[in-house]
Amino acid sequence: MRVEYINPFVEAAFNVLKEVLTSDVKRGELYLKSTTQPVMGVAALVGLAGNVEGRVLFDMSIETALAIASDMNGEKLEQMDDLAKATITELANMITAQAVTKLHELGFTFDLTPPAIFTGENMEVTDSEVEALIVPMELSYGKVEINVAVRERV
Amino acid sequence: MKTKMDFPSINERKPEGVKEDGSPYRVLVVDDSMFVTKQISQILTSEGFEVVDTASDGLQGLEKYKELYPNIDVVTMDITMPKMDGVSALEKIIEFDKEAKVIMISALGKQDLVKKALLIGAKNYIVKPLDRVKVLERIIQSIK
């Protein structure tokens, strides 16, 4: 996978997290995975389809998701209820929208699916015929991994 | 308001969401995200506005506008929504009431739709992520 697909997502995630959270945001080291990967507990998935295709996953633990949702709402949320899920969905929306604007400027054209939120334990994600690039974002609430598996349409 | 009589205000500034006659500006919030609806409501309520109703898609937004009319001053309208998108709902609201004050709420990268909305008659727009200052400034500009 070409690194140029992931950079807009990393930049957008960094900018949006910094803007909507009171936490510090630090970018971790990028790594590549080609096999099945564990998912931490709450994952927002956005699909891409066009001249590039694949998916972007925003992956975090339930504790991190709740801390982020609490910060964004300005009140303590105790459970992954509808409001917490709507908040994480909106976060994924804002990050993806900013990344896509950049990718469109670079000449990639594709449509997006609305984010789907997965919650649970012992989840894994497998992508066939495309490896995933992952960039962790370190927050004081724990980490959010930006996990991008995208390829050019053949 | 009773609290004001009990505790004289040390802050002389009148909340922006209150009209000359002391009644609040009445707002309808149309957005499919519970989070955004809550965020906008909190910002507006804190400045004296009254959120009279909310709708979670464009069609419901249109219906609620018609029900509330003429007891409604301003609408915040998300662009991407199920059933009927915000631009279509705006168009129908303007058809019904050409004086309607509608402010579009947009994700980044929807410039074409925002332009279309402004041409149809939206009074202003706000790009997410929303911050308090930006939301109040844009809404106040369009009602005064």
Side-chain angles (χ1 to χ4, degrees):
Chain A
M1 191 177 94
R2 285 154 63 183
V3 176
E4 62 201 276
Y5 298 137
I6 196 175
N7 281 338
F9 287 99
V10 174
E11 270 170 44
F14 185 82
N15 293 340
V16 171
L17 288 169
K18 260 212 132 44
E19 188 165 345
V20 302
L21 298 180
T22 52
S23 164
D24 266 354
V25 185
K26 264 188 249 144
R27 193 194 142 148
E29 283 302 311
L30 177 140
Y31 63 99
L32 186 96
K33 281 238 177 128
S34 51
T35 50
T36 297
Q37 310 139 51
V39 174
M40 283 185 270
V42 176
L45 183 134
V46 179
L48 286 68
N51 63 10
V52 291
E53 58 185 9
R55 55 92 190 140
V56 180
L57 198 67
F58 300 94
D59 183 17
M60 65 205 90
S61 70
I62 290 191
E63 293 72 31
T64 304
L66 283 172
I68 289 175
S70 299
D71 190 346
M72 287 174 69
N73 279 287
E75 67 176 89
K76 181 108 181 78
L77 304 183
E78 306 279 357
Q79 281 171 13
M80 277 311 287
D81 55 8
D82 289 346
L83 177 62
K85 286 179 193 166
T87 310
I88 300 297
T89 303
E90 188 54 29
L91 179 68
N93 262 331
M94 288 187 285
I95 295 174
T96 327
Q98 202 174 106
V100 164
T101 305
K102 181 78 186 165
L103 283 163
H104 284 179
E105 282 166 14
L106 293 173
F108 302 107
T109 52
F110 49 83
D111 286 324
L112 294 171
T113 64
I117 301 276
F118 295 83
T119 51
E121 284 168 28
N122 296 322
M123 296 190 290
E124 290 184 331
V125 58
T126 309
D127 300 280
S128 62
E129 292 169 36
V130 56
E131 67 270 8
L133 275 175
I134 300 162
V135 176
M137 291 286 163
E138 306 284 349
L139 312 173
S140 51
Y141 312 130
K143 69 177 172 186
V144 177
E145 288 196 338
I146 319 297
N147 179 323
V148 180
V150 177
R151 62 174 181 190
E152 265 161 84
R153 180 165 281 178
V154 281
Chain B
M1 254 191 330
K2 190 160 187 313
T3 36
K4 278 208 176 134
M5 292 190 286
D6 289 348
F7 304 98
S9 173
I10 49 165
N11 182 357
E12 286 303 311
R13 190 179 70 93
K14 190 163 91 38
E16 297 277 9
V18 177
K19 298 178 196 171
E20 287 303 318
D21 66 6
S23 66
Y25 283 101
R26 295 153 300 184
V27 189
L28 169 65
V29 176
V30 187
D31 204 301
D32 62 335
S33 165
M34 189 197 274
F35 166 70
V36 178
T37 302
K38 182 164 173 267
Q39 202 185 17
I40 295 176
S41 304
Q42 275 174 347
I43 294 171
L44 292 179
T45 311
S46 73
E47 195 56 39
F49 289 87
E50 184 187 355
V51 175
V52 282
D53 213 338
T54 62
S56 56
D57 63 65
L59 194 59
Q60 202 186 27
L62 172 65
E63 282 162 6
K64 292 206 166 166
Y65 189 88
K66 288 180 175 170
E67 273 168 37
L68 290 165
Y69 182 83
N71 299 311
I72 178 78
D73 300 301
V74 65
V75 181
T76 71
M77 180 73 75
D78 187 22
I79 290 192
T80 316
M81 284 185 293
K83 288 189 194 160
M84 184 191 283
D85 66 86
V87 179
S88 307
L90 163 77
E91 206 162 8
K92 304 261 188 219
I93 288 177
I94 300 275
E95 255 174 51
F96 171 78
D97 169 19
K98 66 178 189 341
E99 302 294 318
K101 294 187 172 68
V102 181
I103 287 119
M104 307 309 287
I105 309 289
S106 167
L108 196 73
K110 307 252 181 242
Q111 291 91 332
D112 292 350
L113 289 171
V114 168
K115 255 183 236 164
K116 192 176 166 198
L118 292 172
L119 287 173
I120 292 169
K123 292 284 178 272
N124 216 326
Y125 68 97
I126 309 166
V127 176
K128 292 188 278 192
L130 301 175
D131 76 53
R132 188 189 150 78
V133 173
K134 197 163 63 180
V135 169
L136 289 173
E137 189 185 271
R138 298 282 167 93
I139 290 181
I140 290 157
Q141 264 173 21
S142 49
I143 50 175
K144 299 221 159 144

